[in-house]
Structure formats: structure tokens, C-alpha cells
Amino acid sequence: MSANIVNFEELQTLTASKSLSVQQDDFSVKVVSSEDPFFWVRVQKSDDGEIIVTDFNSGSLPQLTLNIALRKAVKQLYSPTPDNITFKNIIPVKSSSPHQTQSYEGPVNTIRAACEGFARTSRKVVSSFRVVPEGRKFNVVVALS
């Protein structure tokens, strides 16, 4: 009797990656999923080499899929790994309770996990992670080194 050893993480990554496709125009790269029409990541390149994530929605897909989509979008725009990523105009999550205020925790944790995964696969580390308020929304500015 023989057994096959399967790396579960590799299998999950392969499955998540297969559902993603890259769309590019003159201004940005958008990664979408055939499994969820509400999933997308849109990235644009700035003149100074910074990555700007202008829009993302993980839909009902797991964090791993969002991590892979971010890597695919950045790879399409850059050959070297950039040093900065900015997530623009993030909307805080509204609480269901009328006595609680809006929370940044959910979106910030999702962004942090995506950036840590990106850094790990790029052989870098997240050296700075800042939440910067901008009106009723916020930006997350991440430095990699």
C-alpha cells in the first residue's frame, strides 16, 4: 500500500489561482474571479513606482484568493517588487448596532494579511503599516523592505 502526500497549502493556492484572470487597460490592471462576480482587485502604477490599489472586494472568496490576486496584479505592472503599496479610499465597516461607530478593523486586517502574504512571497517584510484618515474613508500606506 502506498500513500500520496499532498501539500494542502499548494493545492489551495493552485485552486484559487486557476479561477483568476487579469484584465489590463492603459491605466490599471484588474484581477477578477470566475468563481465570484463580486471579487476584484484593481491596481494602478504611479509615476514614482508606488503600487496604488484603487479598488478591491474579496466577495465571498477566502483571504488566500485576495493575496494571490494582489500578487498577479502587481506582477503584471512591475518587474522588481515595489517598496510601497497604498490602498486608497477604504470604507469602514458599519456596525449593526446603532450605539457603535464604524470600524476599520475588518478592512485593515484583510489588507494587512494581503500585504504580509505579498511581502513573504517577495522575500521582503512589511516595515511600515499606516492607516491614514481621508474624510469618511481612509487609506492604508504600506512600506516593504
Side-chain angles (χ1 to χ4, degrees):
M1 178 183 239
S2 67
N4 290 332
I5 297 174
V6 177
N7 184 324
F8 189 63
E9 186 175 329
E10 284 180 20
L11 185 61
Q12 283 182 314
T13 301
L14 182 61
T15 303
S17 187
K18 282 184 176 181
S19 76
L20 299 175
S21 62
V22 178
Q23 304 168 354
Q24 188 167 1
D25 61 30
D26 292 340
F27 307 103
S28 66
V29 169
K30 184 176 179 182
V31 179
V32 296
S33 174
S34 60
E35 292 183 8
D36 185 345
F38 298 107
F39 176 94
W40 65 84
V41 175
R42 185 174 180 272
V43 176
Q44 71 182 35
K45 184 177 183 177
S46 70
D47 292 335
D48 59 1
E50 180 182 18
I51 297 171
I52 302 171
V53 180
T54 59
D55 197 19
F56 77 95
N57 185 356
S58 58
S60 63
L61 297 179
Q63 177 72 44
L64 177 64
T65 308
L66 183 62
N67 297 0
I68 293 167
L70 178 61
R71 288 194 299 265
K72 280 184 175 273
V74 170
K75 186 177 180 180
Q76 192 71 27
L77 288 175
Y78 293 89
S79 48
T81 303
D83 295 328
N84 298 295
I85 303 173
T86 299
F87 290 76
K88 301 284 282 181
N89 299 317
I90 308 302
I91 300 170
V93 176
K94 293 182 181 180
S95 171
S96 58
S97 169
H99 303 292
Q100 292 182 341
T101 59
Q102 295 181 345
S103 170
Y104 297 118
E105 188 174 316
V108 167
N109 288 341
T110 299
I111 292 168
R112 184 181 310 273
C115 290
E116 287 173 354
F118 181 82
R120 198 170 33 256
T121 60
S122 303
R123 295 188 174 140
K124 291 194 172 201
V125 295
V126 174
S127 56
S128 171
F129 189 94
R130 296 180 302 128
V131 176
V132 182
E134 189 174 293
R136 293 185 172 187
K137 298 180 181 180
F138 63 97
N139 299 330
V140 175
V141 181
V142 180
L144 304 172
S145 59

